[in-house]
Amino acid sequence: MPDDKPLSPTPKPPAAKPDDGQGAVVVERQTARVEPPRMYQVVLLNDDYTPMEFVVMVLQEFFLRDLETATQIMLRIHHEGRGVCGVYTKDVASTKVESVLAAAKRSGHPLQCTMEAA
């Protein structure tokens, strides 16, 4: 036997108020945490054939070192086998390595230049 109770009507949502253009919109700003780019050091390696003057010239031309600083770095390379020329972002370090290797090749020197994470 079916239930003879009347079903209650579903409640209707309240009517929306017309937008008069005076409402305020609040937007929350989310701060994005951006990590600084990884840095790489450009390193010149010692060899027995590249003249010291050429190494100093490379340091002055490609790494913008003054004569005194370039000479100190060159002596470090000569005595310790390697020397850091500078610390740069990955793209800049890669470009400097390529430039130094190309200059050494053009001049007929076996100078080696690498980059490594700082």
Side-chain angles (χ1 to χ4, degrees):
M1 197 163 141
D3 225 301
D4 291 336
K5 292 182 185 176
L7 296 173
S8 63
T10 51
K12 293 185 180 180
K17 294 180 182 176
D19 185 14
D20 59 0
Q22 299 297 318
V25 176
V26 177
V27 177
E28 291 185 27
R29 181 175 293 209
Q30 295 179 353
T31 56
R33 294 212 172 201
V34 179
E35 292 184 19
R38 289 192 60 190
M39 301 301 280
Y40 292 82
Q41 40 187 19
V42 178
V43 179
L44 283 178
L45 304 176
N46 188 41
D47 63 70
D48 293 333
Y49 303 101
T50 304
M52 293 180 180
E53 294 80 14
F54 181 78
V55 175
V56 170
M57 185 275 303
V58 163
L59 290 164
Q60 289 179 303
E61 185 174 327
F62 296 106
F63 300 97
L64 306 177
R65 302 296 183 183
D66 60 70
L67 180 60
E68 184 178 336
T69 305
T71 303
Q72 290 173 353
I73 295 171
M74 177 273 298
L75 288 172
R76 186 174 303 121
I77 294 166
H78 182 68
H79 293 295
E80 298 176 15
R82 56 185 274 135
V84 176
C85 306
V87 179
Y88 308 95
T89 59
K90 187 175 185 176
D91 292 339
V92 173
S94 177
T95 300
K96 290 196 180 278
V97 168
E98 290 174 16
S99 299
V100 169
L101 293 175
K105 186 175 182 179
R106 275 193 311 273
S107 299
H109 301 301
L111 183 64
Q112 291 298 302
C113 185
T114 62
M115 65 185 248
E116 54 192 44

